[in-house]
Amino acid sequence: MNDLIIAGHHFQSRLLLGTGKFSSKKIMAKAIEASGTQMVTVALKRIDVSKNEEDIGHYLKSMPVQLLPNTSGAKNAKEAILAAQLGREALETNWLKLEIHPDPRYLLPDPVETLAAAEALVKLGFIILPYINADPVLCKRLEDAGTAAVMPLGAPIGSNKGLQTSGMLEIIIRESKIPVIVDAGLGAPSHAAAAMEMGADAVLVNTAIAVAGNPVNMAMAFKLGVEAGRIAFESNLASTSAYAAASSPLTAFLTE
Amino acid sequence: MNNGFRAIYDRYPWDEVCARINAMTISDVEMALTKEGNGTPEDFMALVSPAAEMKLEEMAQLSMQLTLKRFGKVMQLYLPLYLSNECQNICTYCGFSFDNKIARLTLNEEQVLREVEVIKAFGYDHILLVSGEANQTVGTDYFERMVRLIRPYFSSVMLEVQPLEMEEYQRLIDAGVSTVLIYQETYHEAHYRLYHQKGKKSNFNYRLQTPERLGNAGVHRIGLGALLGLEDWRADSFYTALHLDYLQKQFWKTKYSVSFPRLRPAVGCQQPNHPMTDRQLVQLICAYRIFNEHVEMSLSTRESPAFRNHVIKLGITAISAGSKTDPGGYAGKLAALEQFEISDDRSPAEVADMIVSQGYEPVWKDWDRAF
């Protein structure tokens, strides 16, 4: 497998993990290890530096992974920018998963606020990976704004419904100059494999692993799914076709 | 302003609601179960109906799964801080009732900080400020001062006090309040007056419209609930669900939570008119989850340790532990009486251990001053 390159950094794993919803930090750590991931996202609102060893941020910093703090909880650009700045200080990283969802139920991202915040945060020196709906035009706008990747959703967060946005994801992947990480909604390793076969550069998974009966084994299953999908993609997966190869080609007369 | 929720409420006469709930059949319940977290208020009627009692185990299984998917294996911890037991209302079920001859106390800055010190030592980061209703001494000015005073110590400051005006809520939100809990107590308008005989609280409509004032003020989260035991819990919970359904369409950026205060014995107070069994409370918790996969649910120390140990997996997302319901109760007894007796008197650490032993992670901080 080729390396995944984001903002000049090389990653051998193409699976990113979310750290919410786990039953304990110990199981989370084991799942991270089993997944082979090299980048994990953590909600800034969960970080409590006053708790030292007990703090999830402190815990993750001791692991060999790139920390990707996220702004979950922010409802607009202003809140996200403030949270990002506090997070940069607390976690000592300028990587940021930009999440702005004003709707607390489906947690669907606000495109207008996300673009505004991305523009401001790039100027402030952040490496921005924005969580967005699968909107090809928005992806190009974010690319123009200087984000390091785009993270379109497959389905609403936590829904486990898979690649419901596949038609738009195909366009995004085809047109993007920056890495495309399919985020949210991937409920099974087969969903992750399908995203990778489609040509996504990486996927991010949380709920499907964290609440599985056996999160550690499920993390491994996702690792294998992602690798299978990626290897298939790099091996030029045979394309499907609606047409049979005609035995009497329509253009045969040209050579007659 | 339009009539808002009141107009919807008026379409559901109490007796008719009770009759409809009682007439629900097993097939209504089965239909409601297929909605898996996205039900209508009519589905909720089926889920709280006597017919649904036959399906309790199925409801519990589904409720647990939906909660796991949406919230994960975590449990938020919060603690109430009683600021004052002064109250001008006469409420037949409450220990703070004006006609109750108890010592009255409103904490000053120094006393509040002493409470904060103890609460922080427990590990808490989400705090719920509670008071009676004494607008002259314990009004918005007082709340704003106290919120600003404790804001540096907590990520999330929640409020459970008398209903206020929208502008007052805006001031308190600016000061740092993220959540306001406002329980209707009962949606039975005629009987509401019997329980709330005197004081501002006797105004049913003003209380009913409070969540809308909160929504307009732009609060992050609104907590709803009915005081279980005053009236038929099935009907009161239906109106709560109806209220929730209305609010989340009207104020789509706001989060919602529901609570399950079951009437507890308190000095000089009446016993519940309509007692609710443990089994029925489990049914209600599951009904809310199957009706609405997104709503947060909290369970207080009113409930017993054994009950709380078992139900936290069934839909609950937040619990309190080590609560004192008398002002100044954390730093030491200040001779003020409790609002109600707590039933689970385990320490926060003991409850956190219990959560861990159930395979869940206790979460102390899940909000940030940046928001």
Side-chain angles (χ1 to χ4, degrees), chain A residues 21-23 25 44-48 51 72-75 82-83 86 102 104-106 158-159 207 210-212, chain B residues 68-74 123 220 248 252-255 294 359-361 363-368 370-371:
Chain A
K21 301 187 178 180
F22 280 95
S23 62
K25 293 185 194 74
L44 286 165
K45 62 184 176 152
R46 287 281 302 273
I47 302 292
D48 186 353
K51 295 248 164 108
S72 171
K75 288 182 174 175
L82 180 57
L86 295 175
R105 279 185 285 154
Y106 305 99
S159 68
T207 303
V211 307
Chain B
L68 272 181
K69 184 160 81 96
R70 177 64 179 80
F71 297 93
K73 294 176 187 165
V74 297
H220 167 65
Q248 67 182 15
W252 61 277
K253 292 185 182 178
T254 305
K255 265 190 183 184
H294 305 288
Y360 281 57
E361 167 146 56
V363 170
W364 302 90
K365 178 179 182 295
D366 192 26
W367 195 237
D368 203 88
F371 303 140

